[in-house]
Amino acid sequence: QVQLVESGGGLVQAGGSLRLSCAASGSIFSINAMGWYRQAPEKQRELVAGITSGGSTNYADSVKGRFTISRDNAKNTVYLEMNSLKPEDTGVYYCNGRIRPSSVYRYEYSYWGQGTQVTVSS
């Protein structure tokens, strides 16, 4: 069983910073891409940032220059450093990983964390 557990959310004032972490655990053979998504109230979940196993990154236009995604492959952990936060960054942030559970599995599967709330006050 594969689990993704996020941490680091909270309440912060506009202009502040937060660092989110997401650790993958359980039966893991390999992890390909990992990413952070967010969902604001009454809005669809959207991709915030993604990172490949090789370290290539991509960002939503709304967070470019403010957010940085990184990963520690030895710890099966992905991070999201969020600076210059704005009220519109408020939402539940979810971690996603494309994971191959064991060598028996030919393909990788998409796993989600439970989400962590980020609230930015104006």
Side-chain angles (χ1 to χ4, degrees), residues 9-108:
L11 173 64
V12 65
Q13 288 189 334
S17 299
L18 283 174
R19 188 188 193 216
L20 306 183
S21 299
C22 171
S25 63
S27 175
I28 297 173
F29 178 73
S30 63
I31 302 178
N32 194 354
M34 300 189 79
W36 288 96
Y37 292 72
R38 69 185 177 194
Q39 187 165 18
E42 300 182 357
K43 290 190 176 181
Q44 288 190 333
R45 191 174 298 188
E46 61 175 355
L47 175 67
V48 175
I51 186 168
T52 67
S53 57
S56 297
T57 59
N58 64 288
Y59 298 92
D61 288 342
S62 60
V63 307
K64 283 180 181 177
R66 300 187 297 121
F67 290 11
T68 301
I69 189 171
S70 61
R71 64 190 285 172
D72 184 333
N73 291 331
K75 295 181 179 180
N76 290 338
T77 300
V78 63
Y79 306 95
L80 186 67
E81 187 76 35
M82 304 186 294
N83 299 313
S84 302
L85 282 161
K86 304 175 181 179
E88 51 263 44
D89 293 319
T90 295
V92 179
Y93 282 68
Y94 296 92
C95 172
N96 176 266
R98 300 286 304 181
I99 298 172
R100 190 176 166 192
S102 78
S103 59
V104 173
Y105 291 86
R106 184 176 179 182
Y107 303 106
E108 51 194 37

